[in-house]
């Protein structure tokens, strides 16, 4: 049957209900309701519901999941997109400044079906767009919504300004935050299951002039295992990095700005090292993804659990390998250094612009130069560049949201410590000197690695310049 020609044959079920149970009514004829499903065994309750609604016997046939999902949304979801919901709300919800609302009224509005559905659709469409974050910004005349896709913010369907308090309150309710408190920042977490995908959502709110700014960080809990081979390192870089993390002790650092994939690289390193014969512990702020077989400690500063205190406690847990989400202060740096000196492998991150800068940054945090020289084994600096859409080769299409790019890949700069570099660090050489020595030893710069990807046709020169400027 042509799915494009389908019309609703069952009036009551919503698109959400049909998607949840994986069924699409196709045809009702002569007391028989034909239903398509992408599931091996659709829920009997859903089939019974459809049989009762139609007064017919249900016959199930197998269908293609993506095609059936699209058909469900088109046929049974008149308001099944965020923009459709916004348009359906009409002009009544638009207008000027927010009226003063009692807290009970705001709670009631946040729990109304249209608001609940709208928030769910915004999150669902962000996931479908492969967004890492959703930004909701309240201004005097609008509630602006943007998705961060492949590291770049893009406009998304924006609810009417008058719904801003209800939308923000709905998100706060989901994250178990205080909806009455709008004067101080708040952080929370939402666990969702959308279209058979487990999703963790980190929520951050801050007060602004005209309301609150909310950012949702979307973490796909169903993501598969992390593999070093999938990070896109050049073959020689990958071989040298594998050799560095295979050492029995020392510090291996990954550096770069927020959102450059440092945590993913650390997770991939842990996956590469894990054999089941070693004790691996991790402390993170926050824990982004669960690593099977690795106890992960979340930082909780209000409860006294900091990177430093957790790392100190982890040393009493007989570890072989320790993953430290970030070295951000002198105390953590000192403990990590001592751990490396006493026979442990420490994997961690720093916020520096390049690989050589990590060595001087540790000195700035108070680690003695001789300790930096004797413990650090390698530093990997990295960035993420957008890759050219393979469907349109950069021309722009629906699949890449007309950007010409779809997905991201890493570019890397690996500094491996040599005797000469250790001696230079110990005598206090500056970043420029250390960088020049590493280049003489064969280190490929971030920009050079980016141009390697340009030559392979994977990205564009302007994209490399954007992330390495």
């Amino acid at each position: 049957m042509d799915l494009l020609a389908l019309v609703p044959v069952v009036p009551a079920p919503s698109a959400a209900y049909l998607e949840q149970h994986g069924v699409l009514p196709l045809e009702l004829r002569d007391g028989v309701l034909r239903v398509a499903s992408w599931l091996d065994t659709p829920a009997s309750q859903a089939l019974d519901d459809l049989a009762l609604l139609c007064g017919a016997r249900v016959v199930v046939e197998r269908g293609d999941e993506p095609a059936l999902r699209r058909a469900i949304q088109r046929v049974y979801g008149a308001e099944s997109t965020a923009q459709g919901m916004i348009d359906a709300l009409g002009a009544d919800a638009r207008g000027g400044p927010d009226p003063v609302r009692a807290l009970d009224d705001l709670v009631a509005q946040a729990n109304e079906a249209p608001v609940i559905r709208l928030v769910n659709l915004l999150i669902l469409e962000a996931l479908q767009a492969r967004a890492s974050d959703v930004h909701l910004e309240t201004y005097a005349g609008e509630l602006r919504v943007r998705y961060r896709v492949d590291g770049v913010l893009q406009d998304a369907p924006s609810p009417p300004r008058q719904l801003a308090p209800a939308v923000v309150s709905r998100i706060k309710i989901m994250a178990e935050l205080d909806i009455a408190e709008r004067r101080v920042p708040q952080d929370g977490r939402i666990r969702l299951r959308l279209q058979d995908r487990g999703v963790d959502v980190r929520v951050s709110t801050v007060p602004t002039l005209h309301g609150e700014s909310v950012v949702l960080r979307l973490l796909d809990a169903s993501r598969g295992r992390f593999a070093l081979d999938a990070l896109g390192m050049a073959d020689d870089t990958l071989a040298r990095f594998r050799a560095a993390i295979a050492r029995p002790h020392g510090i291996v650092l990954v550096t770069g700005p927020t959102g450059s994939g440092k945590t993913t690289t650390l997770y991939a390193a842990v996956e590469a090292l894990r054999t089941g014969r070693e004790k691996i512990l991790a402390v993170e702020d926050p824990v982004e993804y669960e690593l099977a077989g690795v106890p992960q400690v979340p930082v909780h500063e209000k409860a006294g659990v900091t990177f430093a205190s957790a790392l100190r406690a982890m040393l009493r847990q007989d570890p072989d390998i320790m993953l430290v989400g970030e070295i951000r202060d002198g105390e953590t740096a000192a403990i990590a250094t001592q751990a490396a000196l006493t026979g442990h492998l420490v994997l961690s991150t720093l916020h520096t612009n390049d690989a050589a800068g990590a060595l001087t940054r540790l000195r700035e945090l108070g680690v003695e130069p001789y300790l930096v020289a004797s413990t650090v084994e390698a530093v990997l600096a990295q960035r993420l560049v957008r890759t050219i859409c393979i469907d349109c080769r950069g021309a722009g299409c629906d699949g890449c949201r007309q950007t010409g790019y779809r997905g991201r890949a890493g570019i890397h700069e690996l500094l491996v410590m040599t005797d000469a570099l250790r001696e230079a660090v110990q005598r206090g050489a500056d970043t420029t000197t250390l960088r020049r020595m590493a280049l003489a030893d064969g280190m490929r710069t971030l920009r050079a690695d980016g141009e390697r990807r340009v030559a392979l046709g994977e990205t564009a020169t302007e994209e490399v310049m954007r992330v390495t400027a």
Side-chain angles (χ1 to χ4, degrees):
M1 172 176 284
D2 182 7
L3 294 180
L4 294 176
L6 280 178
V7 295
V9 296
V10 180
S14 66
Y17 177 90
L18 297 175
E19 279 208 275
Q20 177 185 352
H21 295 288
V23 293
L24 170 63
L26 297 175
E27 183 182 39
L28 179 61
R29 178 182 297 179
D30 300 329
V32 176
L33 175 66
R34 290 177 52 224
V35 173
S37 177
W38 60 82
L39 302 175
D40 291 331
T41 308
S44 58
Q45 182 62 55
L47 300 179
D48 290 342
D49 290 345
L50 293 174
L52 183 62
L53 283 169
C54 298
R57 179 171 60 89
V58 174
V59 175
V60 181
E61 59 189 64
R62 192 65 181 262
D64 176 66
E65 178 177 354
L68 292 179
R69 284 192 185 275
R70 288 193 296 270
I72 287 172
Q73 292 295 334
R74 181 174 46 78
V75 178
Y76 289 90
E79 297 173 4
S80 59
T81 67
Q83 189 60 60
M85 280 288 299
I86 292 167
D87 293 341
L89 291 170
D92 291 343
R94 306 178 188 273
D98 297 327
V100 177
R101 287 188 175 91
L103 182 60
D104 288 347
D105 292 340
L106 194 57
V107 172
Q109 188 178 11
N111 285 318
E112 288 178 356
V115 174
I116 293 174
R117 190 173 182 189
L118 177 56
V119 170
N120 289 345
L121 282 170
L122 287 172
I123 297 174
L124 177 60
E125 291 182 8
L127 288 168
Q128 292 172 338
R130 300 174 295 103
S132 60
D133 304 84
V134 180
H135 292 242
L136 298 96
E137 302 157 345
T138 306
Y139 298 102
E142 67 172 332
L143 172 61
R144 187 182 188 189
V145 179
R146 293 187 289 174
Y147 298 156
R148 188 177 293 279
V149 181
D150 295 333
V152 178
L153 286 172
Q154 302 176 10
D155 285 329
S158 296
R161 172 62 178 83
Q162 292 296 91
L163 282 183
V167 169
V168 172
S169 295
R170 177 59 195 166
I171 293 171
K172 284 184 170 183
I173 289 171
M174 295 170 70
E176 298 183 350
L177 301 179
D178 184 357
I179 70 168
E181 182 54 78
R182 308 176 199 173
R183 299 166 299 174
V184 299
Q186 297 187 66
D187 294 294
R189 192 169 190 170
I190 305 170
R191 293 183 182 271
L192 299 174
R193 188 152 195 90
L194 297 171
Q195 290 190 347
D196 300 324
R197 296 168 63 186
V199 181
D200 285 341
V201 183
R202 297 207 315 256
V203 180
S204 170
T205 73
V206 296
T208 63
L209 184 62
H210 296 287
E212 290 177 275
S213 172
V214 181
V215 176
L216 312 178
R217 168 63 58 89
L218 308 179
L219 303 170
D220 191 345
S222 61
R223 181 171 176 171
R225 294 184 65 177
F226 301 85
L228 279 178
D229 292 342
L231 299 183
M233 292 184 196
D235 291 343
D236 57 341
T237 301
L238 178 60
R240 296 170 74 199
F241 186 71
R242 283 188 181 278
I245 63 174
R247 295 179 182 274
H249 53 78
I251 298 175
V252 176
L253 297 170
V254 181
T255 77
T258 300
S260 59
K262 299 187 298 296
T263 300
T264 297
T265 298
L266 288 183
Y267 283 0
V270 168
E271 290 284 1
L273 293 170
R274 185 169 57 186
T275 66
R277 298 187 297 272
E278 63 286 302
K279 177 77 168 187
I280 304 175
L281 295 172
V283 54
E284 302 170 67
D285 182 21
V287 174
E288 294 196 5
Y289 297 99
E290 292 187 16
L291 292 171
V294 178
Q296 294 167 273
V297 180
V299 166
H300 194 316
E301 294 191 355
K302 290 182 179 178
V305 182
T306 64
F307 275 116
S309 66
L311 187 53
R312 190 178 291 108
M314 285 163 53
L315 284 171
R316 298 191 291 271
Q317 293 277 307
D318 187 30
D320 298 293
I321 301 167
M322 292 185 288
L323 186 157
V324 183
E326 181 184 351
I327 295 177
R328 61 173 63 156
D329 55 55
E331 187 180 9
T332 305
I335 300 170
T337 302
Q338 290 301 317
L341 282 174
T342 54
H344 304 87
L345 178 65
V346 179
L347 308 175
S348 190
T349 73
L350 275 175
H351 285 284
T352 61
N353 290 328
D354 59 16
L359 301 174
T360 53
R361 177 61 179 151
L362 287 175
R363 295 203 310 246
E364 292 168 358
L365 289 173
V367 181
E368 292 292 337
Y370 77 91
L371 290 176
V372 176
S374 59
T375 57
V376 175
E377 297 295 338
V379 183
L380 180 75
Q382 67 180 58
R383 302 287 190 277
L384 293 176
V385 294
R386 292 181 294 172
T387 52
I388 294 172
C389 177
I390 60 174
D391 293 331
C392 65
R393 300 311 301 172
C397 63
D398 290 342
C400 63
R401 296 171 66 88
Q402 308 303 325
T403 64
Y405 295 99
R406 183 178 175 86
R408 289 191 291 176
I411 57 175
H412 305 89
E413 174 180 291
L414 179 62
L415 180 154
V416 177
M417 294 295 282
T418 62
D419 290 341
L421 276 171
R422 293 186 196 279
E423 182 181 346
V425 169
Q426 191 162 346
R427 68 171 183 263
D430 60 19
T431 300
T432 302
T433 301
L434 295 173
R435 180 176 177 80
R436 185 170 60 247
M437 294 177 65
L439 290 171
D441 288 335
M443 182 181 77
R444 183 187 295 107
T445 66
L446 285 167
R447 186 163 294 178
D449 199 44
E451 291 302 326
R452 175 184 66 88
R453 286 196 174 276
V454 172
L456 293 172
E458 298 172 346
T459 190
T461 298
E462 55 266 29
E463 179 66 9
V464 174
M465 297 297 290
R466 181 182 70 86
V467 302
T468 60

